[in-house]
């Protein structure tokens, strides 16, 4: 953002409806200026008609040989509870050979079906489904294409050891943030005392930890929570599978969204409330004991921070180089952060590689996002690293439909 845009953003950031109207009008005014659809000096391979989803999981198998993907089979519009999507994976040189796995109704445009590898397995994948109107999830073997097991709840993330999953109420999330949850006719999901964030075993479905909305509200409550609509949202295991972060969010009486972040051990030990100031956006684990996120502190403002779990000790990054929200991944051992930007005044999105030692910013790619891809149809780049750290996967819609890209940026790093 330039200085004027930053001033306006700070004035309207707490009114999301008004903020979005300003953004839409601003981009509409500048939409008559022609833009290149895509620009990069790095080699990439495009898979038109496919996408992966969010930035906090990787589509690459741990051996790097296979690439998970969603294939939309419905038109670009707001989804109904009956809309399906196809899931599969790419293999072969340049991940060019597509293999069909299944179809599911348990998906949305932003997150897909939470399709992910079962830990470090190179053969088993997990994704959300809908059975009898209820949100659940499924484990399937990609080699045999056989069902391994159906799980009792929809999942957010699988631990890297493949033993546990975390889950929250996706229907409730959809009510609060349309396009980020799942739709259903089931009345299951509106009781704060029985609406849980939970961690459970993938081996025997045993619940290892759960906490209800009614109980999370009792922890350090504030006035904005009174009469608000509360829900759980994004969650992620740390690399060692020992702890999880999750978000407690609520919409106050004015429609403003507030967010708190918690972490907890997989058996419910050491529940910890991070000391942010009502805004936590996109998060990743930087190590087993640190998260890296775009968030806001009362006296330091919003930006990218590295924060220690269970102590709250923080360090800000990129203050004068990258001042807008994105979807980061932090390779701490390589001093690299990869992230993206939201569409700017011309609806251009940037794929950004940051060196945490030198503060050097390298724009790896610029892609134009057509105006039809906004609100629940928004297509973010959502960058995800390959295991070799030299290739990154992104989603884009610069050509008017979803495309799954892999970009080799190895020449930009030592």
């Amino acid at each position: 953002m330039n200085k004027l845009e930053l001033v306006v953003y700070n004035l309207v950031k707490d009114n999301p409806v008004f903020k979005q109207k300003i953004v839409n009008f601003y981009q509409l005014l500048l939409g008559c200026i022609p833009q290149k659809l895509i620009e990069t000096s790095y080699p990439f391979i495009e898979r038109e008609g496919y996408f992966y989803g969010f930035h906090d999981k990787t589509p690459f198998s741990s051996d790097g040989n296979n690439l998970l993907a969603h294939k939309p089979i419905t038109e670009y519009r707001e989804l109904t509870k009956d809309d399906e999507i196809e899931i599969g994976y790419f293999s072969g040189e340049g991940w060019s050979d597509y293999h069909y796995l299944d179809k599911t109704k348990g998906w949305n445009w932003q997150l897909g079906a939470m399709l992910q590898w079962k830990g470090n397995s190179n053969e088993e994948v997990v994704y959300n489904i809908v059975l009898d109107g209820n949100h659940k999830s499924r484990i399937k073997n990609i080699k045999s294409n056989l069902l391994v097991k159906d799980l009792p709840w929809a999942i957010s993330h699988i631990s890297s050891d493949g033993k546990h999953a975390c889950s929250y109420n996706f229907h409730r999330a959809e009510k609060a943030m349309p396009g980020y949850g799942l739709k259903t006719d089931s009345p299951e999901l509106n009781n704060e005392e029985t609406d849980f964030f939970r961690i459970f075993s993938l081996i025997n479905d045993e619940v290892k930890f759960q906490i209800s909305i009614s109980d999370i509200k009792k922890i350090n409550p504030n006035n904005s929570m009174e009469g608000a609509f509360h829900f759980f949202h994004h969650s992620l295991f740390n690399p060692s599978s020992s702890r999880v972060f999750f978000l407690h969010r609520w919409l106050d009486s004015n429609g403003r969204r507030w967010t708190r972040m918690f972490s907890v051990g997989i058996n419910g030990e050491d529940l910890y409330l991070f000391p942010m100031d009502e805004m936590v956006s996109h998060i990743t684990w930087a190590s087993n004991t640190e998260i890296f996120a775009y968030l806001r502190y009362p006296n330091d403002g919003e930006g990218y921070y590295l924060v220690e779990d269970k102590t709250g000790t923080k360090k800000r990054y990129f203050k004068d180089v990258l001042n807008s929200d994105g979807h980061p991944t932090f390779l701490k051992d390589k001093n690299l952060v990869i992230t993206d930007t939201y569409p700017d005044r011309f609806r251009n999105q940037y794929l950004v590689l940051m060196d945490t030692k030198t503060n050097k910013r390298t724009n790896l790619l610029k892609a134009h996002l057509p105006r039809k891809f906004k609100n629940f149809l928004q297509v973010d780049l959502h960058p995800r690293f390959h295991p070799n750290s030299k290739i990154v996967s992104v989603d884009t819609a610069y050509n008017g439909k979803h495309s799954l890209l892999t970009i080799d940026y190895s020449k930009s790093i030592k």
Side-chain angles (χ1 to χ4, degrees):
M1 289 184 283
N2 61 35
K3 291 183 178 180
L4 178 59
E5 290 167 345
L6 191 58
V7 169
V8 174
Y9 169 79
N10 284 326
L11 290 173
V12 302
K13 64 186 178 184
D14 292 328
N15 189 328
V17 176
F18 186 48
K19 180 182 73 172
Q20 192 58 54
K21 287 182 178 179
I22 291 176
V23 170
N24 290 342
F25 181 68
Y26 188 36
Q27 292 178 347
L28 182 63
L29 285 178
L30 296 174
C32 59
I33 301 175
Q35 300 293 310
K36 290 184 178 180
L37 295 182
I38 191 166
E39 292 182 75
T40 181
S41 59
Y42 301 90
F44 68 90
I45 300 173
E46 180 175 359
R47 298 154 198 85
E48 187 175 293
Y50 300 86
F51 75 98
Y52 177 65
F54 215 44
H55 73 109
D56 58 356
K57 293 171 281 292
T58 177
F60 296 104
S61 54
S62 60
D63 61 11
N65 292 335
N66 298 311
L67 176 71
L68 296 176
H70 298 84
K71 182 180 181 181
I73 53 177
T74 187
E75 60 191 42
Y76 289 122
R77 55 166 169 75
E78 186 174 0
L79 297 176
T80 71
K81 65 180 179 62
D82 295 317
D83 286 320
E84 290 186 310
I85 197 167
E86 185 176 307
I87 63 170
Y89 68 98
F90 288 91
S91 65
E93 185 176 356
W95 306 284
S96 56
D97 301 323
Y98 177 71
H99 308 269
Y100 167 87
L101 283 176
D102 201 355
K103 291 180 181 178
T104 177
K105 297 178 181 178
W107 70 288
N108 59 53
W109 290 113
Q110 280 291 315
L111 309 177
M114 292 293 190
L115 176 63
Q116 58 195 283
W117 297 97
K118 183 176 175 286
N120 291 319
S121 171
N122 295 307
E123 295 190 3
E124 292 185 346
V125 298
V126 191
Y127 51 96
N128 287 336
I129 60 172
V130 178
L131 286 177
D132 301 322
N134 296 313
H135 301 148
K136 299 181 183 296
S137 50
R138 173 168 292 168
I139 305 174
K140 201 167 190 181
N141 187 293
I142 69 168
K143 301 299 182 182
S144 65
N145 204 21
L146 294 177
L147 171 68
V148 176
K149 182 181 182 181
D150 282 344
L151 302 169
W153 301 285
I155 52 95
S156 172
H157 190 230
I158 303 298
S159 59
S160 62
D161 62 11
K163 295 180 179 180
H164 297 93
C166 48
S167 174
Y168 54 81
N169 184 332
F170 284 82
H171 179 56
R172 197 174 185 93
E174 177 67 19
K175 290 179 67 176
M177 295 179 63
Y180 284 83
L182 299 175
K183 294 184 177 181
T184 181
D185 286 336
S186 173
E188 61 185 298
L189 314 165
N190 299 305
N191 187 331
E192 290 189 348
E193 294 183 357
T194 57
D195 190 337
F196 297 103
F197 170 79
R198 61 171 59 87
I199 302 169
F200 68 96
S201 167
L202 292 178
I203 299 171
N204 58 13
D205 302 338
E206 177 189 1
V207 174
K208 311 294 286 187
F209 166 77
Q210 67 180 19
I211 189 167
S212 68
I213 286 177
S214 61
D215 285 336
I216 206 81
K217 288 165 55 177
K218 297 173 185 176
I219 301 175
N220 291 0
N222 62 57
N223 293 335
S224 68
M225 295 182 186
E226 194 68 32
F229 182 82
H230 295 255
F231 61 107
F232 294 115
H233 214 198
H234 303 304
S235 55
L236 201 68
F237 288 91
N238 68 357
S240 67
S241 305
S242 61
R243 290 185 68 78
V244 179
F245 74 69
F246 63 96
L247 301 184
H248 166 217
R249 285 179 159 167
W250 61 98
L251 300 179
D252 68 17
S253 56
N254 296 316
R256 176 182 172 185
R257 186 171 73 229
W258 301 67
T259 303
R260 303 193 300 178
M261 182 165 66
F262 290 81
S263 65
V264 67
I266 60 169
N267 295 306
E269 65 274 18
D270 299 325
L271 181 66
Y272 176 70
L273 172 60
F274 285 83
M276 290 84 179
D277 180 33
E278 87 264 340
M279 195 284 282
V280 184
S281 186
H282 301 105
I283 317 120
T284 184
W285 286 96
S287 70
N288 288 320
T289 59
E290 298 163 304
I291 61 100
F292 185 76
Y294 191 89
L295 46 87
R296 184 188 305 156
Y297 281 96
N299 298 319
D300 301 307
E302 63 182 66
Y304 283 106
Y305 290 87
L306 184 69
V307 187
E308 188 175 50
D309 186 21
K310 295 195 286 187
T311 71
T313 302
K314 68 182 186 297
K315 177 182 178 181
R316 186 165 183 179
Y317 283 77
F318 319 140
K319 182 176 182 180
D320 300 318
V321 184
L322 193 59
N323 65 357
S324 59
D325 195 1
H327 302 89
T329 299
F330 196 154
L331 295 183
K332 191 175 181 183
D333 60 332
K334 298 184 183 300
N335 303 305
L336 292 177
V337 169
I338 197 158
T339 188
D340 59 358
T341 66
Y342 283 104
D344 65 11
R345 65 188 77 92
F346 303 111
R347 291 194 61 78
N348 292 324
Q349 301 165 292
Y350 290 86
L351 177 64
V352 181
L353 185 71
M354 298 295 305
D355 187 310
T356 60
K357 278 194 171 182
T358 65
N359 221 32
K360 179 184 177 182
R361 170 176 173 166
T362 303
N363 291 334
L364 301 180
L365 175 140
K366 181 174 77 171
H368 183 70
L369 186 64
R371 281 189 55 78
K372 72 176 182 179
F373 294 102
K374 59 183 181 179
N375 301 328
F376 52 82
L377 287 177
Q378 173 83 15
V379 179
D380 298 315
L381 296 177
H382 288 154
R384 290 93 37 171
F385 281 114
H386 183 275
N388 68 13
S389 307
K390 298 177 181 179
I391 294 171
V392 63
S393 161
V394 300
D395 299 324
T396 182
Y398 74 92
N399 58 4
K401 61 178 66 175
H402 279 96
S403 286
L404 177 59
L405 274 57
T406 47
I407 303 166
D408 184 343
Y409 67 95
S410 55
K411 70 179 183 180
S412 70
I413 57 176
K414 296 179 181 179

